[in-house]
Amino acid sequence: MHWNRSLPFLCLVVYGDLDNSRGVFDPLIHMPLEFKERNKKRRLFHTALTATDASYNRWQCRIMYYWYKRFKDQPGSEMGGFTRVLHSGKPDNLMDEIPTFVVDPLPAGLDQGYIVLNRPWAFVQWLQKANIEEEYILMAEPDHVLVKPLPNLATEEFPAAFPFFYITPRHHETILRKFFPNNKGPITNIDPIGNSPVVIRKPLLEKIAPTWVNISLAMKNDPEADKAFGWVLEMYGYAVASALHGVQHILRKDFMIQPPWDLELGETHIIHYTYGCDYDMSGKLTYGKIGEWRFDKRSFDEGAPPRNLPAPPPGVPESVVTLVRMVNEATENIPNWKAGE
């Protein structure tokens, strides 16, 4: 494993389109000229999401792929091909609907019931075996909904990622030093990110992915790390693996929003519906308590939601209203959509 010491420390947080100079960044680090004066030639990226063959995953993938197709060829898009990396080890009934590459799951028992550990292993296999024409890759997830054409947010040297408020390397330095030794640099070299959404050059991901597998497995086998990181352990695995290779990311807050906490669309590119959205009929959030109106993907863990979900009541924020509208449009137009399947 080689650590690239040639990359300067970068902590760049971008809130909007970089072309309008609204970026907020460490004043000691200048924005790369390459990024500031972007080449107008389209730099296509390949969208890849890992998935299981469970019904819960399948309906989310269908909605995600619908919106990818809607925006792929629109102005401003640099979206190239699309692959669902299916880590069940066998084909399923979406092979003809969504471009899919089948890879093997981890050996039985290795994920210890934490199925997300299959994600880095799936990427390793896909990168090794698939013919990927694009130079860049967007790592996405089934519960992402694109809200507009997506440009390539990365540069040749710096991938682009979304900063998660709950990925806090500084707060876990003692644990992380087991996997990111002191001689690799300050703990702040570990970005507050997961692997998704990330746009990254393929050669960089090919270097990071095997380390991502090994770090994630090592964390899962470390009781202290497993307890501290819980369901976001694999996200820490990617962040640490990137830092070990000297790769740091441009942090794009406009990459994604997460309802119900993010209220407006703003300049975002993706809605991530990982949280449940519960409201009373006056439009007041009742998070932690099942609302009179709700949208929660976990309500449909046994199969797809029905078409034409009820609209949110007045007063519910734009982010949630848009999410439900986009889910309804997708399910209305996806052929053979059946509730519960």
Side-chain angles (χ1 to χ4, degrees):
M1 178 164 52
H2 300 282
W3 181 50
N4 186 348
R5 294 180 181 271
S6 66
L7 293 180
F9 174 72
L10 178 69
C11 183
L12 173 62
V13 183
V14 180
Y15 294 90
D17 186 347
L18 283 173
D19 292 337
N20 66 15
S21 300
R22 288 186 295 162
V24 178
F25 58 95
D26 184 339
L28 299 180
I29 304 297
H30 293 289
M31 184 184 301
L33 184 62
E34 169 197 355
F35 201 69
K36 194 173 183 181
E37 300 177 0
R38 292 181 59 174
N39 192 325
K40 298 303 180 183
K41 182 180 178 182
R42 294 179 77 213
R43 300 173 305 127
L44 298 180
F45 58 85
H46 193 103
T47 299
L49 63 130
T50 59
T52 72
D53 59 359
S55 297
Y56 177 67
N57 245 206
R58 288 202 306 269
W59 69 258
Q60 294 174 46
C61 289
R62 298 179 79 189
I63 292 172
M64 199 281 180
Y65 184 57
Y66 171 86
W67 286 107
Y68 158 83
K69 291 190 295 181
R70 275 287 305 273
F71 292 125
K72 176 181 180 294
D73 296 321
Q74 291 191 13
S77 167
E78 291 183 292
M79 296 186 284
F82 185 103
T83 300
R84 179 182 62 132
V85 185
L86 181 64
H87 52 75
S88 63
K90 60 184 184 300
D92 67 1
N93 63 357
L94 292 183
M95 303 296 290
D96 294 332
E97 180 178 333
I98 304 176
T100 299
F101 192 91
V102 179
V103 297
D104 293 326
L106 288 167
L110 203 58
D111 65 13
Q112 302 180 53
Y114 179 54
I115 197 167
V116 186
L117 282 181
N118 286 278
R119 181 177 293 155
W121 177 227
F123 271 109
V124 167
Q125 295 173 80
W126 178 63
L127 290 164
Q128 289 177 346
K129 298 176 183 179
N131 179 24
I132 308 163
E133 295 181 359
E134 295 84 358
E135 178 69 8
Y136 293 82
I137 292 167
L138 164 65
M139 292 187 282
E141 296 186 15
D143 59 354
H144 287 176
V145 172
L146 291 165
V147 298
K148 62 183 179 182
L150 183 61
N152 188 337
L153 302 176
T155 71
E156 185 173 341
E157 191 174 14
F158 297 107
F162 176 78
F164 289 90
F165 70 88
Y166 47 78
I167 303 297
T168 54
R170 288 184 182 182
H171 295 165
H172 297 289
E173 180 166 4
T174 301
I175 297 173
L176 289 172
R177 284 302 183 187
K178 298 179 183 181
F179 314 99
F180 188 75
N182 285 302
N183 65 356
K184 296 302 183 183
I187 206 70
T188 50
N189 280 5
I190 302 174
D191 290 326
I193 61 172
N195 83 289
S196 177
V198 166
V199 181
I200 185 170
R201 284 182 61 239
K202 184 168 58 177
L204 286 180
L205 185 55
E206 287 171 339
K207 292 179 182 179
I208 293 169
T211 309
W212 177 21
V213 174
N214 291 333
I215 293 294
S216 297
L217 288 171
M219 287 180 172
K220 187 63 181 173
N221 286 318
D222 182 286
E224 187 180 21
D226 189 26
K227 181 179 179 180
F229 301 148
W231 65 273
V232 298
L233 180 147
E234 166 268 340
M235 298 172 69
Y236 274 99
Y238 175 81
V240 170
S242 299
L244 287 170
H245 286 278
V247 176
Q248 294 188 284
H249 299 68
I250 301 162
L251 304 181
R252 299 280 309 222
K253 286 196 171 184
D254 65 338
F255 209 152
M256 186 171 76
I257 60 171
Q258 301 186 100
W261 309 119
D262 296 307
L263 306 181
E264 299 178 352
L265 291 184
E267 299 297 320
T268 198
H269 298 85
I270 294 171
I271 295 176
H272 182 209
Y273 55 98
T274 189
Y275 296 107
C277 300
D278 289 276
Y279 294 86
D280 64 23
M281 296 313 291
S282 69
K284 180 181 177 181
L285 181 67
T286 62
Y287 193 78
K289 176 183 176 182
I290 294 177
E292 296 174 272
W293 181 94
R294 77 179 326 223
F295 176 78
D296 187 337
K297 65 180 183 178
R298 295 161 193 82
S299 300
F300 309 104
D301 58 356
E302 297 297 327
R307 286 173 164 161
N308 196 28
L309 291 169
V316 170
E318 176 191 30
S319 60
V320 178
V321 173
T322 303
L323 170 60
V324 175
R325 176 181 58 79
M326 296 185 78
V327 168
N328 280 341
E329 179 177 331
T331 60
E332 181 64 29
N333 289 283
I334 294 172
N336 303 313
W337 185 273
K338 295 180 181 179
E341 288 192 356

